[in-house]
């Protein structure tokens, strides 16, 4: 079964306001559209991603989706249904998950629940029961409405692609607000599965605020570890923590051999699960030869924040008999904080010797260990 995620993001977001279409507004450091795209494509069953955007939104979409594998990026239409139709026209595969970009957080368990019934049904939609009393209302309250059997229908909605396509072709009513209306009118069977509060659509400023708070409540602390060693070679100074320390010998390395910045860079990347320094700056690439390590650290801090994380603290231990780093510790903290856009109080640098033991004890090189503590949004479960 090949599954394509079709995200409609061609709306104007007029009810939310805020100067730009809501799908490009940021929550927890990431555009809403990116949250939506990531939460669908990281599900193992989802192979393809098609995003439908509004005319003139190309640059915003490219920025929001940077680095993600988007198989088709196409222009939508006047109504949501036009955008869905435009998407359906270009995708293939067995199953489509049609999703609103305005619902940034889709737990993987919802996708599991949606795909399971497709063996027996043409489609499936996530729903939530209605808890409040329902009533008609004008200026004053009118007749109550029996809420039993009523549900609120969310997206993503899963359909056999051919069946949904045929139903859309047969649709003659006013523009539908979702696919279940089209599917039902076209005679398709649509299974009902449990939705999730995380999937609430962002429509008004109150919804936006609620989504921000929801994510804030889901920030979990994570710790990353970094370690680096460089051998003494040639003449000083020695670069440590972005500070040039006068010394008779220097450190050998592909870049400026700043073990402190390298260890902190790896700790940050590790905390966010974003690989390591070698993956971001391959030593085989001559562009990075001799590059000041501050670029590596600045990049790591930026990508960690771009993943929605907050950096709380970094701590580093330098392991060396020489040079003496004590007099430079405060300057290193200031420098590291400046590079990573932190306050100096969020940075700690310490140093130790190994009592003459091992390669550092034999004064063959300098090692550094680092730990980074971050808080990162977590939308599963
Ligand atoms: N959408 C779309 N094409 C349209 C209209 C809406 O792709 N012509 C998308 C929106 O980008 C959103 C989803 O459909 O992801 C749900 O629509 P809605 O919440 O109404 O978003 P907007 O139309 O952008 O908001 P508003 O109605 O407040 O302008
Ligand atoms: Mg709309």
């Amino acid at each position: 079964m090949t599954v394509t995620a079709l995200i409609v993001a061609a709306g104007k977001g007029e009810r939310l306001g805020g100067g730009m279409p809501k799908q490009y507004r940021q929550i927890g450091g990431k555009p809403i559209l990116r949250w939506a795209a990531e939460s669908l494509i990281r599900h193992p069953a989802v192979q393809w991603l098609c995003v439908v955007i509004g005319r003139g939104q190309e640059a915003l979409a490219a920025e929001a989706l940077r680095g993600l594998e988007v198989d088709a990026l196409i222009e939508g239409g006047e109504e949501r249904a036009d955008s869905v139709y435009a998407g359906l026209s270009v995708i293939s595969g067995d199953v489509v998950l049609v999703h609103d970009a305005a619902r940034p957080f889709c737990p993987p368990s919802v996708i599991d629940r949606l795909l399971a019934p497709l063996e027996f049904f043409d489609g499936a939609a996530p729903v939530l029961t209605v808890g409040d009393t329902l009533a008609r209302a004008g200026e004053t309250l009118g007749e109550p409405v029996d809420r039993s059997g009523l549900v609120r229908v969310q997206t993503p909605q899963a359909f056999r692609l051919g069946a949904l396509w045929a139903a859309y072709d047969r649709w003659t009513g006013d523009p539908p607000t979702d696919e279940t209306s089209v599917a039902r009118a076209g005679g398709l069977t649509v299974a009902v599965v449990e939705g999730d509060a995380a999937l609430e659509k962002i429509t008004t400023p109150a919804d936006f605020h609620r989504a921000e708070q929801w994510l804030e409540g889901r920030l979990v602390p994570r710790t990353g570890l970094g370690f680096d060693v460089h051998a003494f070679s040639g003449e000083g100074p020695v670069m440590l923590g972005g500070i040039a320390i006068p010394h008779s010998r220097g450190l050998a390395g592909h870049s400026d051999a700043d073990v402190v910045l390298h260890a902190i860079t790896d700790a940050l990347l590790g905390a966010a699960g974003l690989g390591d320094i070698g993956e971001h700056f391959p030593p085989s690439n001559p562009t990075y030869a001799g590059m000041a390590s501050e670029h590596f650290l600045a990049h790591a801090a930026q990508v960690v924040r771009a993943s929605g994380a907050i950096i709380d603290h970094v701590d580093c231990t330098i392991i060396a008999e020489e040079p003496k780093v004590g007099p430079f510790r405060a300057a290193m903290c200031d420098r590291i904080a400046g590079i990573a856009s932190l306050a100096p109080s969020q940075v700690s640098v310490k140093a130790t010797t190994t009592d003459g033991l091992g390669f550092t004890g034999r004064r063959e090189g300098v090692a550094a260990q680092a730990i980074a503590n971050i808080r990162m949004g977590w939308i599963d479960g």
Side-chain angles (χ1 to χ4, degrees):
M1 181 162 85
T2 53
V3 180
T4 302
L6 169 57
I7 299 183
V8 283
K12 298 192 174 77
E14 275 163 354
R15 285 170 289 178
L16 180 61
M20 71 162 80
K22 61 187 174 188
Q23 57 274 30
Y24 304 111
R25 299 259 311 258
Q26 297 210 345
I27 293 183
K30 271 196 242 189
I32 289 173
L33 168 60
R34 190 183 183 90
W35 280 110
E38 284 181 354
S39 58
L40 294 195
I41 55 177
R42 75 207 167 109
H43 191 282
V46 177
Q47 287 110 324
W48 303 99
L49 172 64
C50 172
V51 181
V52 186
I53 60 168
R55 181 169 298 171
Q57 296 177 0
E58 294 79 7
L60 283 168
E63 176 61 24
L65 297 166
R66 187 150 39 111
L68 296 185
E69 208 174 302
V70 181
D71 301 289
L73 188 69
I74 60 161
E75 192 178 300
E78 201 52 43
E79 303 287 342
R80 180 188 179 281
D82 301 323
S83 301
V84 173
Y85 194 80
L88 291 177
S89 313
V90 302
I91 63 174
S92 53
D94 306 317
V95 168
V96 59
L97 283 171
V98 185
H99 189 44
D100 293 331
R103 302 178 194 266
F105 311 124
C106 179
S109 51
V110 173
I111 299 177
D112 292 339
R113 291 201 286 277
L114 286 167
L115 296 180
L118 294 187
E119 202 182 327
F120 309 105
F121 294 84
D122 299 311
V127 307
L128 290 180
T129 52
V130 182
D132 297 324
T133 297
L134 292 181
R136 303 203 179 280
E139 245 173 64
T140 57
L141 205 62
E143 280 291 298
V145 176
D146 182 8
R147 72 178 174 208
S148 60
L150 288 185
V151 290
R152 296 192 292 130
V153 185
Q154 303 179 309
T155 80
Q157 297 174 2
F159 287 96
R160 302 215 149 269
L161 179 56
L164 182 63
W165 182 234
Y168 254 99
D169 263 345
R170 286 199 294 273
W171 175 263
T172 51
D174 287 341
T177 54
D178 78 342
E179 283 49 74
T180 58
S181 345
V182 180
R184 287 260 311 121
L188 309 193
T189 53
V190 183
V192 164
V193 306
E194 195 188 339
D196 198 297
L199 275 172
E200 293 286 4
K201 185 157 75 72
I202 297 177
T203 307
T204 63
D207 296 331
F208 186 83
H209 185 59
R210 179 183 39 73
E212 280 186 312
Q213 286 191 325
W214 183 88
L215 188 65
E216 218 168 281
R218 317 272 305 182
L219 289 175
V220 292
R222 294 169 52 133
T223 301
L225 190 65
F227 179 68
D228 195 35
V229 173
H230 281 282
F232 281 118
S233 155
E235 292 180 359
V238 168
M239 287 302 291
L240 285 177
I243 302 290
I245 299 180
H247 193 55
S248 54
R249 297 194 289 168
L251 290 175
H254 186 67
S255 62
D256 59 11
D258 190 325
V259 286
V260 172
L261 297 193
H262 295 179
I264 296 176
T265 298
D266 257 2
L268 281 170
L269 292 172
L274 290 172
D276 64 16
I277 194 169
E279 219 174 297
H280 289 257
F281 301 97
S284 55
N285 185 335
T287 321
Y288 307 129
M291 186 180 254
S293 299
E294 66 183 86
H295 295 295
F296 305 155
L297 177 57
H299 168 82
Q302 189 255 320
V303 294
V304 166
R305 291 195 175 101
S307 74
I310 296 164
I311 303 170
D312 283 327
H313 185 246
V314 294
D315 179 31
C316 181
T317 297
I318 301 166
I319 306 159
E321 299 288 334
E322 59 180 71
K324 288 285 166 243
V325 300
F328 302 95
R329 270 178 38 188
M332 282 186 212
C333 288
D334 284 352
R335 184 86 187 95
I336 293 163
I339 297 166
S341 302
L342 294 166
S345 61
Q346 290 174 293
V347 180
S348 145
V349 175
K350 318 179 296 301
T352 185
T353 66
T354 47
D355 239 359
L357 300 175
F359 67 86
T360 51
R362 291 189 298 273
R363 301 167 190 264
E364 291 166 6
V366 177
Q369 295 177 327
I371 275 184
N373 291 309
I374 68 171
R375 278 169 295 149
M376 203 165 167
W378 195 247
I379 67 173
D380 296 2

